[in-house]
Amino acid sequence: MAEKYGVLIEGLSVWYGNRKILQDINLKVPPYSVLAVMGPSGSGKSTLLRAINRLLDYIPEARVEGRVVVYGVDVYNENPYRVRRLMGMVFQTPNPFPHMSIYDNVAIGPRLHGLVRSKEELDKLVEWALREAMLWEEVKDRLDEPPTKLSGGQQQRLALARALALKPRLLLLDEPTANIDPQNARKLEESIRRIASEEGITVIMVTHTPQQALRVSDYVAFIYNGRLVEFGRTRDVALNPAHELTAMYFRGEI
């Protein structure tokens, strides 16, 4: 039976020590869709992603309350290893493994998790992931080179390929185009749209611009001071925001 929601979040609150970062977040993200999470700096967008994939487990002062369900898996009542197998994450700054080749950067996850049985299968998986990240044609003749020879934008697309090689059901992107040039940003955006529509992967992406949300996402969540102000279909929210704070953000006033 198909899951009704790719991601279901109920009553999610996050504290760092005594400081409350997120307050009572409720979201229902349809499967195979792209959700753009927007809001001013410091509003809690990145914390939301880290709460979904339990990266906050590594922060001693962090405390999480509420429920996160990803394709039927209750994230905080499940083995963290299984949780992270469901998800891939790409951060704002490209982070390739510098002492590995381009090929090995993509192949390391499938190798560690035993996803392939032969070199031929691994080759096909690496090519698929690089194609999905729109990087294959640029690197197919230099797979043995270190990733440090790639541009920053190419390194970010390599990070996307590395995440995709694990065949996640949910892809989390934390402002993935913030530090790369416009040409590479557009290629990443194109990849994100195709990944959701053709590969059946749900995407939650923190974005720094409403324009990017309009180009890429199906749904938008606007967060302000740790609270979910508005959620809905991207075009509906952009054209007819229900809250004045959302309208001000789209106008560039906050």
Side-chain angles (χ1 to χ4, degrees):
M1 180 178 175
E3 297 292 338
K4 187 175 181 181
Y5 303 113
V7 181
L8 173 66
I9 298 174
E10 296 179 326
L12 180 68
S13 295
V14 175
W15 289 260
Y16 287 164
N18 294 321
R19 188 162 61 99
K20 201 168 191 178
I21 308 299
L22 291 177
Q23 183 160 329
D24 196 29
I25 302 294
N26 295 279
L27 281 172
K28 296 175 179 178
V29 186
Y32 322 135
S33 64
V34 180
L35 168 67
V37 180
M38 303 188 310
S41 295
S43 59
K45 305 183 299 296
S46 295
T47 299
L48 176 62
L49 295 192
R50 285 158 173 76
I52 292 171
N53 73 352
R54 290 187 58 170
L55 278 180
L56 296 178
D57 289 5
Y58 300 108
I59 302 176
E61 66 270 24
R63 179 164 60 91
V64 179
E65 288 185 1
R67 190 164 176 249
V68 178
V69 181
V70 177
Y71 284 99
V73 175
D74 193 333
V75 167
Y76 284 91
N77 283 304
E78 184 58 74
N79 184 307
Y81 176 83
R82 186 183 176 208
V83 167
R84 296 191 185 105
R85 266 294 289 117
L86 282 171
M87 311 178 200
M89 186 158 181
V90 177
F91 298 90
Q92 186 177 121
T93 302
N95 60 345
F97 303 132
H99 302 300
M100 294 183 180
S101 67
I102 293 169
Y103 180 98
D104 287 337
N105 261 267
V106 182
I108 183 172
R111 281 175 175 152
L112 290 174
H113 290 276
L115 297 184
V116 291
R117 298 180 180 179
S118 69
K119 179 66 163 58
E120 182 182 5
E121 285 183 43
L122 185 60
D123 288 347
K124 288 179 179 178
L125 181 55
V126 168
E127 180 177 342
W128 171 83
L130 287 168
R131 284 190 184 278
E132 289 300 313
M134 297 188 68
L135 190 58
W136 174 252
E137 294 299 328
E138 297 167 45
V139 302
K140 63 182 180 182
D141 297 321
R142 40 194 303 215
L143 294 174
D144 292 333
E145 293 182 7
T148 49
K149 291 192 174 182
L150 300 177
S151 70
Q154 288 173 323
Q155 289 183 27
Q156 188 68 312
R157 284 186 282 138
L158 180 64
L160 176 61
R162 189 174 67 203
L164 290 173
L166 284 171
K167 293 291 184 118
R169 300 197 70 187
L170 172 64
L171 187 61
L172 303 172
L173 308 173
D174 193 357
E175 296 197 38
T177 64
N179 296 310
I180 62 177
D181 62 275
Q183 183 179 3
N184 275 288
R186 287 303 176 99
K187 287 183 178 180
L188 257 177
E189 289 177 2
E190 196 175 321
S191 295
I192 292 162
R193 283 295 329 158
R194 190 176 66 249
I195 287 162
S197 62
E198 297 181 11
E199 297 299 333
I201 297 173
T202 301
V203 180
I204 299 181
M205 177 179 68
V206 170
T207 177
H208 57 292
T209 65
Q211 293 78 15
Q212 185 173 67
L214 283 165
R215 288 193 299 268
V216 177
S217 68
D218 304 295
Y219 297 89
V220 156
F222 177 63
I223 296 177
Y224 188 81
N225 284 345
R227 296 176 180 268
L228 179 63
V229 173
E230 191 162 347
F231 170 77
R233 289 191 174 275
T234 303
R235 295 288 169 183
D236 295 341
V237 173
L239 293 174
N240 189 28
H243 199 288
E244 179 58 23
L245 281 172
T246 314
M248 291 173 67
Y249 186 78
F250 270 91
R251 292 196 300 263
E253 296 174 5
I254 56 174

